[in-house]
Coordinates of all heavy atoms in Angstrom, one line a residue:
M1 N -148.8 108.9 225.4 CA -147.6 109.8 225.5 C -148.0 111.2 225.2 O -148.6 111.5 224.2 CB -146.6 109.3 224.4 CG -145.3 110.0 224.4 SD -144.2 109.2 223.4 CE -143.3 110.5 222.7
H2 N -147.6 112.1 226.1 CA -147.9 113.5 225.9 C -146.7 114.3 225.4 O -145.6 114.1 225.9 CB -148.3 114.1 227.3 CG -149.6 113.6 227.8 ND1 -150.8 114.4 227.6 CD2 -150.0 112.5 228.4 CE1 -151.8 113.7 228.1 NE2 -151.3 112.6 228.6
L3 N -147.0 115.1 224.4 CA -145.9 115.8 223.8 C -145.8 117.2 224.4 O -144.8 117.9 224.2 CB -146.0 115.9 222.3 CG -145.9 114.5 221.6 CD1 -146.2 114.7 220.1 CD2 -144.6 113.9 221.8
T4 N -146.8 117.7 225.0 CA -146.8 119.0 225.6 C -147.1 118.9 227.1 O -147.7 117.9 227.6 CB -147.9 119.9 225.0 OG1 -149.2 119.3 225.2 CG2 -147.7 120.1 223.5
A5 N -146.6 119.8 227.9 CA -146.8 119.9 229.3 C -148.3 120.3 229.6 O -148.8 121.1 228.9 CB -145.8 120.8 230.0
P6 N -148.9 119.8 230.6 CA -150.2 120.2 231.0 C -150.2 121.7 231.4 O -149.2 122.2 232.0 CB -150.6 119.3 232.1 CG -149.4 118.8 232.7 CD -148.4 118.8 231.5
A7 N -151.3 122.4 231.2 CA -151.3 123.8 231.6 C -151.3 123.9 233.1 O -152.1 123.3 233.8 CB -152.6 124.4 231.0
S8 N -150.4 124.7 233.6 CA -150.3 124.9 235.0 C -151.2 126.0 235.5 O -151.6 126.0 236.7 CB -148.9 125.2 235.4 OG -148.5 126.4 234.8
R9 N -151.7 126.9 234.7 CA -152.6 127.9 235.1 C -153.6 128.2 234.0 O -153.4 127.8 232.8 CB -151.9 129.2 235.6 CG -151.2 129.9 234.4 CD -150.6 131.2 235.0 NE -150.2 132.1 233.9 CZ -150.8 133.2 233.6 NH1 -151.9 133.6 234.2 NH2 -150.4 133.9 232.6
R10 N -154.7 128.9 234.3 CA -155.7 129.2 233.3 C -155.1 130.0 232.1 O -154.5 131.0 232.4 CB -156.8 129.9 233.9 CG -158.1 129.7 233.3 CD -159.2 130.3 234.1 NE -159.5 131.6 233.6 CZ -159.9 132.6 234.3 NH1 -160.1 132.5 235.6 NH2 -160.2 133.8 233.8
T11 N -155.2 129.5 230.9 CA -154.7 130.3 229.8 C -155.6 131.4 229.4 O -156.8 131.3 229.6 CB -154.5 129.3 228.6 OG1 -155.7 128.7 228.3 CG2 -153.4 128.3 228.9
G12 N -155.1 132.4 228.9 CA -155.9 133.5 228.4 C -156.3 134.6 229.4 O -157.0 135.5 229.1
V13 N -155.8 134.4 230.6 CA -156.1 135.4 231.7 C -155.5 136.8 231.3 O -156.2 137.8 231.4 CB -155.5 135.0 233.0 CG1 -155.7 136.1 234.1 CG2 -156.2 133.7 233.5
R14 N -154.3 136.8 230.8 CA -153.7 138.1 230.4 C -154.4 138.7 229.2 O -154.6 139.9 229.1 CB -152.2 137.9 230.0 CG -151.3 137.7 231.2 CD -149.9 137.5 230.9 NE -149.5 138.5 229.9 CZ -148.3 138.6 229.4 NH1 -147.4 137.7 229.7 NH2 -147.9 139.5 228.5
D15 N -155.0 137.8 228.3 CA -155.7 138.4 227.2 C -157.0 139.1 227.7 O -157.3 140.1 227.2 CB -156.1 137.2 226.2 CG -154.9 136.7 225.5 OD1 -153.9 137.4 225.4 OD2 -155.0 135.6 225.0
T16 N -157.7 138.4 228.6 CA -158.9 139.0 229.1 C -158.7 140.3 229.9 O -159.4 141.2 229.8 CB -159.8 138.1 229.9 OG1 -159.0 137.6 231.0 CG2 -160.2 136.9 229.1
D17 N -157.6 140.3 230.7 CA -157.2 141.5 231.4 C -156.9 142.6 230.5 O -157.2 143.8 230.7 CB -156.0 141.2 232.4 CG -156.4 140.3 233.5 OD1 -157.6 140.1 233.7 OD2 -155.5 139.9 234.2
G18 N -156.2 142.3 229.4 CA -155.9 143.3 228.4 C -157.1 143.8 227.7 O -157.2 145.0 227.4
M19 N -158.1 142.9 227.4 CA -159.3 143.4 226.8 C -160.1 144.4 227.8 O -160.7 145.3 227.3 CB -160.2 142.2 226.5 CG -159.9 141.4 225.3 SD -161.1 140.2 225.0 CE -160.1 138.8 224.7
A20 N -160.0 144.1 229.1 CA -160.7 145.0 230.0 C -160.1 146.3 230.0 O -160.8 147.4 230.0 CB -160.7 144.3 231.4
V21 N -158.7 146.4 230.0 CA -158.0 147.7 230.0 C -158.3 148.4 228.7 O -158.5 149.6 228.7 CB -156.5 147.4 230.3 CG1 -155.7 148.7 230.1 CG2 -156.3 146.9 231.7
A22 N -158.2 147.6 227.6 CA -158.5 148.3 226.3 C -159.9 148.8 226.2 O -160.1 149.9 225.6 CB -158.2 147.2 225.2
S23 N -160.9 148.1 226.7 CA -162.2 148.7 226.7 C -162.3 150.0 227.5 O -163.0 150.9 227.0 CB -163.2 147.6 227.2 OG -163.1 147.5 228.6
F24 N -161.7 150.0 228.6 CA -161.7 151.2 229.4 C -161.0 152.4 228.6 O -161.6 153.5 228.6 CB -161.0 151.0 230.7 CG -160.7 152.2 231.5 CD1 -161.8 152.9 232.2 CD2 -159.5 152.8 231.7 CE1 -161.6 154.0 232.9 CE2 -159.3 153.9 232.4 CZ -160.3 154.6 233.0
V25 N -159.8 152.2 228.1 CA -159.1 153.2 227.4 C -159.9 153.7 226.1 O -160.0 154.9 225.9 CB -157.7 152.7 227.0 CG1 -157.0 153.7 226.1 CG2 -156.9 152.5 228.2
L26 N -160.4 152.7 225.4 CA -161.2 153.1 224.2 C -162.5 153.8 224.5 O -162.9 154.7 223.8 CB -161.5 151.8 223.3 CG -160.2 151.2 222.6 CD1 -160.7 150.0 221.9 CD2 -159.6 152.2 221.7
G27 N -163.1 153.4 225.6 CA -164.3 154.1 226.0 C -164.0 155.5 226.4 O -164.8 156.4 226.1
L28 N -163.0 155.7 227.2 CA -162.6 157.0 227.6 C -162.2 157.9 226.4 O -162.6 159.0 226.3 CB -161.4 156.9 228.6 CG -161.0 158.1 229.4 CD1 -162.2 158.6 230.2 CD2 -159.9 157.8 230.3
L29 N -161.4 157.3 225.5 CA -161.0 158.1 224.3 C -162.2 158.4 223.4 O -162.3 159.4 222.8 CB -160.0 157.3 223.6 CG -159.3 157.9 222.4 CD1 -158.5 159.2 222.8 CD2 -158.3 156.9 221.7
G30 N -163.2 157.5 223.4 CA -164.4 157.7 222.6 C -165.2 158.8 223.0 O -166.0 159.4 222.2
L31 N -165.1 159.3 224.3 CA -165.8 160.4 224.7 C -165.3 161.7 224.0 O -166.0 162.7 223.9 CB -165.7 160.6 226.2 CG -166.5 159.6 227.0 CD1 -166.2 159.8 228.5 CD2 -168.0 159.7 226.8
L32 N -164.1 161.7 223.6 CA -163.5 162.8 222.9 C -163.5 162.8 221.4 O -163.7 163.8 220.7 CB -162.0 163.0 223.4 CG -161.8 163.1 224.9 CD1 -160.3 163.1 225.3 CD2 -162.5 164.4 225.4
V33 N -163.2 161.6 220.8 CA -163.1 161.5 219.4 C -163.6 160.1 218.9 O -163.6 159.2 219.7 CB -161.6 161.6 218.9 CG1 -161.1 163.0 219.1 CG2 -160.7 160.6 219.5
L34 N -164.2 160.1 217.7 CA -164.6 158.8 217.1 C -165.5 157.9 217.9 O -165.4 156.7 217.9 CB -163.3 158.0 216.6 CG -162.4 158.7 215.6 CD1 -161.2 157.9 215.4 CD2 -163.2 158.9 214.3
N35 N -166.4 158.6 218.6 CA -167.3 157.8 219.5 C -168.2 156.8 218.7 O -168.6 155.8 219.3 CB -168.1 158.7 220.4 CG -168.9 159.8 219.6 OD1 -168.8 159.9 218.4 ND2 -169.6 160.6 220.3
V36 N -168.4 157.1 217.4 CA -169.2 156.2 216.7 C -168.5 154.8 216.4 O -169.2 153.8 216.3 CB -169.7 156.8 215.3 CG1 -168.5 157.0 214.4 CG2 -170.8 156.0 214.7
F37 N -167.2 154.8 216.5 CA -166.4 153.6 216.3 C -165.9 153.0 217.6 O -166.0 151.8 217.9 CB -165.2 153.8 215.4 CG -165.6 154.2 214.0 CD1 -165.3 155.5 213.6 CD2 -166.2 153.4 213.1 CE1 -165.6 155.9 212.3 CE2 -166.6 153.7 211.9 CZ -166.3 155.0 211.4
L38 N -165.4 153.9 218.5 CA -164.8 153.4 219.7 C -165.8 153.0 220.8 O -165.5 152.1 221.5 CB -163.9 154.5 220.3 CG -162.7 155.0 219.4 CD1 -161.9 156.0 220.0 CD2 -161.8 153.8 219.0
G39 N -167.0 153.6 220.8 CA -168.0 153.1 221.7 C -168.4 151.7 221.6 O -168.3 150.9 222.5
P40 N -168.8 151.3 220.4 CA -169.2 149.8 220.2 C -168.0 148.9 220.4 O -168.2 147.8 221.0 CB -169.6 149.8 218.8 CG -170.1 151.2 218.5 CD -169.2 152.1 219.2
I41 N -166.8 149.3 220.0 CA -165.6 148.4 220.3 C -165.4 148.3 221.8 O -165.1 147.2 222.2 CB -164.4 149.0 219.5 CG1 -164.5 148.9 218.0 CG2 -163.1 148.2 220.0 CD1 -163.5 149.7 217.3
A42 N -165.5 149.3 222.5 CA -165.3 149.3 224.0 C -166.4 148.3 224.6 O -166.1 147.6 225.5 CB -165.4 150.7 224.6
I43 N -167.6 148.4 224.1 CA -168.7 147.6 224.6 C -168.4 146.1 224.4 O -168.5 145.3 225.3 CB -170.0 148.0 224.0 CG1 -170.4 149.4 224.6 CG2 -171.1 147.0 224.4 CD1 -171.6 150.0 223.9
V44 N -168.0 145.8 223.2 CA -167.7 144.4 222.8 C -166.5 143.9 223.6 O -166.6 142.7 224.1 CB -167.5 144.3 221.3 CG1 -166.9 142.9 220.9 CG2 -168.7 144.5 220.5
L45 N -165.4 144.6 223.7 CA -164.3 144.2 224.4 C -164.6 143.9 225.9 O -164.2 142.9 226.5 CB -163.1 145.2 224.3 CG -162.4 145.2 223.0 CD1 -161.3 146.3 223.0 CD2 -161.7 143.8 222.8
A46 N -165.4 144.8 226.5 CA -165.8 144.7 227.9 C -166.6 143.4 228.1 O -166.4 142.7 229.0 CB -166.5 145.9 228.4
A47 N -167.6 143.2 227.2 CA -168.4 142.1 227.3 C -167.7 140.8 227.2 O -167.9 139.8 228.0 CB -169.5 142.1 226.2
V48 N -166.8 140.7 226.2 CA -165.9 139.5 226.1 C -165.1 139.3 227.3 O -164.9 138.1 227.8 CB -165.1 139.6 224.7 CG1 -164.1 138.4 224.7 CG2 -166.0 139.5 223.5
A49 N -164.5 140.3 227.8 CA -163.6 140.2 229.0 C -164.4 139.7 230.2 O -163.9 138.8 230.9 CB -162.9 141.5 229.3
L50 N -165.6 140.2 230.3 CA -166.4 139.8 231.5 C -166.9 138.3 231.3 O -166.9 137.6 232.2 CB -167.6 140.7 231.6 CG -167.3 142.1 232.2 CD1 -168.5 143.0 232.0 CD2 -166.9 142.0 233.6
L51 N -167.3 138.0 230.1 CA -167.7 136.6 229.8 C -166.6 135.6 230.0 O -166.8 134.4 230.4 CB -168.3 136.5 228.4 CG -169.6 137.1 228.2 CD1 -170.0 137.1 226.7 CD2 -170.7 136.5 229.1
R52 N -165.4 136.0 229.7 CA -164.2 135.1 229.9 C -163.6 135.1 231.3 O -162.7 134.4 231.6 CB -163.1 135.4 228.9 CG -163.5 135.1 227.4 CD -162.4 135.3 226.5 NE -162.7 134.9 225.2 CZ -161.9 135.0 224.2 NH1 -160.6 135.5 224.4 NH2 -162.3 134.7 222.9
G53 N -164.2 135.9 232.2 CA -163.8 135.9 233.6 C -162.5 136.7 233.9 O -161.6 136.1 234.5
T54 N -162.4 137.9 233.4 CA -161.2 138.7 233.7 C -161.1 139.0 235.2 O -162.1 139.0 235.9 CB -161.3 140.1 232.9 OG1 -160.1 140.8 233.2 CG2 -162.5 140.9 233.4
A55 N -159.9 139.2 235.6 CA -159.6 139.5 237.0 C -159.8 141.0 237.2 O -160.0 141.5 238.3 CB -158.1 139.2 237.3
R56 N -159.9 141.8 236.1 CA -160.1 143.2 236.2 C -161.5 143.6 235.9 O -161.8 144.3 234.9 CB -159.1 144.0 235.3 CG -157.7 143.7 235.6 CD -156.8 144.5 234.7 NE -155.4 144.2 235.1 CZ -154.4 145.0 235.0 NH1 -154.6 146.2 234.4 NH2 -153.2 144.7 235.4
R57 N -162.4 143.1 236.7 CA -163.9 143.2 236.4 C -164.3 144.7 236.5 O -165.1 145.2 235.7 CB -164.7 142.4 237.4 CG -164.5 140.9 237.2 CD -165.3 140.1 238.1 NE -166.8 140.2 237.8 CZ -167.4 139.6 236.8 NH1 -166.7 138.8 236.0 NH2 -168.7 139.7 236.6
G58 N -163.7 145.4 237.4 CA -164.1 146.8 237.6 C -163.7 147.6 236.4 O -164.4 148.5 235.9
R59 N -162.5 147.4 235.8 CA -162.1 148.0 234.6 C -163.0 147.7 233.4 O -163.3 148.5 232.6 CB -160.6 147.7 234.4 CG -159.8 148.4 233.4 CD -159.2 149.8 233.8 NE -158.7 149.9 235.2 CZ -157.5 149.8 235.6 NH1 -156.6 149.5 234.7 NH2 -157.1 150.1 236.8
A60 N -163.4 146.4 233.4 CA -164.3 146.0 232.3 C -165.6 146.7 232.4 O -166.2 147.1 231.4 CB -164.4 144.5 232.3
Y61 N -166.2 146.8 233.6 CA -167.4 147.5 233.8 C -167.3 148.9 233.5 O -168.3 149.5 232.9 CB -167.9 147.3 235.2 CG -168.6 145.9 235.5 CD1 -168.1 145.1 236.5 CD2 -169.7 145.5 234.7 CE1 -168.7 143.8 236.7 CE2 -170.2 144.3 234.9 CZ -169.8 143.4 235.9 OH -170.3 142.2 236.1
L62 N -166.2 149.6 233.8 CA -166.0 151.0 233.5 C -165.9 151.1 231.9 O -166.5 152.1 231.4 CB -164.7 151.5 234.1 CG -164.8 151.9 235.6 CD1 -163.4 152.3 236.1 CD2 -165.8 153.1 235.7
G63 N -165.2 150.2 231.3 CA -165.2 150.2 229.8 C -166.6 150.1 229.2 O -166.9 150.8 228.2
L64 N -167.4 149.2 229.8 CA -168.7 149.0 229.3 C -169.6 150.3 229.5 O -170.3 150.7 228.5 CB -169.4 147.8 230.0 CG -170.8 147.4 229.6 CD1 -170.8 146.9 228.2 CD2 -171.3 146.4 230.5
A65 N -169.5 150.9 230.6 CA -170.2 152.1 230.9 C -169.8 153.2 230.0 O -170.6 154.0 229.5 CB -170.1 152.5 232.4
L66 N -168.4 153.4 229.8 CA -167.9 154.4 229.0 C -168.3 154.2 227.5 O -168.6 155.2 226.8 CB -166.4 154.5 229.1 CG -165.9 155.2 230.4 CD1 -164.4 155.0 230.5 CD2 -166.3 156.6 230.5
G67 N -168.3 153.0 227.1 CA -168.8 152.7 225.7 C -170.2 153.0 225.5 O -170.6 153.6 224.5
I68 N -171.1 152.7 226.5 CA -172.5 153.1 226.4 C -172.6 154.7 226.4 O -173.4 155.2 225.7 CB -173.3 152.5 227.5 CG1 -173.3 150.9 227.3 CG2 -174.7 153.0 227.6 CD1 -173.9 150.1 228.4
A69 N -171.8 155.3 227.3 CA -171.8 156.8 227.4 C -171.4 157.4 226.0 O -171.9 158.4 225.6 CB -170.9 157.2 228.5
D70 N -170.4 156.7 225.3 CA -170.0 157.2 224.0 C -171.2 157.3 223.1 O -171.4 158.3 222.4 CB -169.0 156.3 223.4 CG -167.6 156.4 224.1 OD1 -167.4 157.4 224.9 OD2 -166.8 155.5 223.8
L71 N -172.0 156.2 223.1 CA -173.2 156.2 222.2 C -174.3 157.2 222.6 O -175.0 157.8 221.8 CB -173.7 154.8 222.1 CG -172.8 153.7 221.5 CD1 -173.4 152.4 221.5 CD2 -172.3 154.1 220.2
V72 N -174.4 157.4 223.9 CA -175.4 158.3 224.4 C -175.0 159.8 224.0 O -175.8 160.6 223.6 CB -175.6 158.2 226.0 CG1 -176.3 159.4 226.5 CG2 -176.2 156.9 226.3
V73 N -173.7 160.1 224.2 CA -173.2 161.4 223.8 C -173.4 161.6 222.3 O -173.8 162.6 221.8 CB -171.7 161.5 224.2 CG1 -171.0 162.7 223.5 CG2 -171.6 161.6 225.7
L74 N -173.1 160.5 221.5 CA -173.3 160.6 220.0 C -174.7 160.9 219.7 O -175.0 161.8 218.9 CB -172.8 159.3 219.4 CG -173.1 159.2 217.9 CD1 -172.2 160.2 217.1 CD2 -172.7 157.8 217.4
A75 N -175.6 160.2 220.4 CA -177.1 160.4 220.1 C -177.5 161.8 220.5 O -178.3 162.5 219.8 CB -177.9 159.4 220.9
A76 N -177.0 162.3 221.6 CA -177.3 163.7 222.1 C -176.8 164.7 221.1 O -177.6 165.7 220.7 CB -176.7 163.9 223.4
F77 N -175.6 164.6 220.6 CA -175.1 165.5 219.6 C -175.8 165.4 218.3 O -175.9 166.4 217.6 CB -173.6 165.5 219.5 CG -172.9 166.2 220.6 CD1 -172.4 165.6 221.7 CD2 -172.7 167.6 220.5 CE1 -171.8 166.3 222.8 CE2 -172.1 168.3 221.5 CZ -171.6 167.6 222.7
M78 N -176.2 164.2 217.9 CA -176.9 164.0 216.6 C -178.2 164.7 216.7 O -178.7 165.3 215.7 CB -177.1 162.5 216.3 CG -175.8 161.9 215.8 SD -176.0 160.1 215.6 CE -177.4 160.0 214.5
Q79 N -178.9 164.7 217.9 CA -180.2 165.4 218.0 C -180.0 166.9 218.0 O -180.8 167.6 217.5 CB -180.8 164.9 219.3 CG -181.4 163.5 219.3 CD -182.5 163.4 218.3 OE1 -183.3 164.3 218.2 NE2 -182.5 162.3 217.6
A80 N -178.8 167.3 218.6 CA -178.6 168.8 218.7 C -178.3 169.4 217.4 O -178.8 170.5 217.1 CB -177.5 169.0 219.7
D81 N -177.5 168.8 216.6 CA -177.1 169.5 215.4 C -177.2 168.7 214.1 O -176.7 169.0 213.0 CB -175.6 170.0 215.4 CG -174.6 168.9 215.6 OD1 -175.0 167.7 215.6 OD2 -173.4 169.2 215.7
S82 N -178.0 167.6 214.2 CA -178.3 166.7 213.0 C -177.1 166.2 212.2 O -177.1 166.2 211.0 CB -179.3 167.5 212.1 OG -180.5 167.8 212.8
T83 N -176.0 165.9 212.9 CA -174.9 165.3 212.2 C -174.5 164.0 212.9 O -175.0 163.7 213.9 CB -173.6 166.3 212.3 OG1 -173.3 166.4 213.6 CG2 -173.9 167.6 211.6
I84 N -173.6 163.2 212.2 CA -173.2 162.0 212.8 C -172.0 162.1 213.7 O -171.7 161.3 214.5 CB -172.9 161.0 211.6 CG1 -174.2 160.7 210.9 CG2 -172.3 159.7 212.1 CD1 -174.0 159.7 209.7
S85 N -171.2 163.2 213.6 CA -170.0 163.3 214.4 C -170.1 164.7 215.1 O -170.9 165.5 214.8 CB -168.7 163.3 213.5 OG -168.7 164.3 212.6
W86 N -169.2 164.9 216.0 CA -169.1 166.1 216.8 C -167.7 166.4 217.1 O -166.9 165.5 217.1 CB -170.0 166.1 218.0 CG -169.6 165.1 219.0 CD1 -169.9 163.8 219.1 CD2 -168.8 165.4 220.2 NE1 -169.3 163.2 220.2 CE2 -168.6 164.2 220.9 CE3 -168.2 166.5 220.7 CZ2 -167.9 164.0 222.0 CZ3 -167.4 166.4 221.9 CH2 -167.3 165.2 222.5
S87 N -167.4 167.6 217.4 CA -166.0 168.0 217.8 C -166.1 169.2 218.8 O -167.2 169.9 218.8 CB -165.2 168.3 216.6 OG -165.7 169.4 215.9
F88 N -165.0 169.5 219.4 CA -165.0 170.7 220.3 C -164.9 171.9 219.6 O -164.3 172.2 218.6 CB -163.8 170.6 221.3 CG -163.9 169.5 222.3 CD1 -163.1 168.4 222.3 CD2 -164.9 169.6 223.3 CE1 -163.2 167.4 223.3 CE2 -165.1 168.6 224.2 CZ -164.2 167.5 224.2

């Protein structure tokens, strides 16, 4: 006897799509502020979304690239002025 209905579609699809979009937004925002925090978060969210099979693969790859770019920008500015953060 089943007390619950069988799943009619793959569960968690909306969650992974949301992670892909969040990684893109956080990666983009990380280029402007708090790249030391937002870059790694964008990378992790994009990786999890890709591993779970998001339908928004392009957005997840952009979030991954932007997260990596956040860390590259942070490293460049750390070399330029020997600080951990930067601002305009």
Side-chain angles (χ1 to χ4, degrees):
M1 183 170 146
H2 290 263
L3 297 177
T4 59
S8 60
R9 68 179 192 105
R10 210 171 95 209
T11 57
V13 172
R14 286 182 46 186
D15 291 340
T16 57
D17 290 349
M19 284 187 225
V21 172
S23 71
F24 171 72
V25 171
L26 291 177
L28 193 60
L29 187 60
L31 288 174
L32 302 174
V33 294
L34 297 172
N35 52 0
V36 71
F37 298 112
L38 298 180
I41 293 171
I43 292 170
V44 169
L45 284 174
V48 171
L50 288 169
L51 288 174
R52 290 188 180 178
T54 183
R56 297 181 181 210
R57 295 184 66 78
R59 194 81 35 98
Y61 281 123
L62 281 173
L64 182 65
L66 286 170
I68 292 169
D70 290 346
L71 297 180
V72 169
V73 166
L74 175 65
F77 277 99
M78 284 174 56
Q79 289 294 321
D81 62 2
S82 300
T83 62
I84 295 178
S85 64
W86 65 278
S87 61
F88 288 115

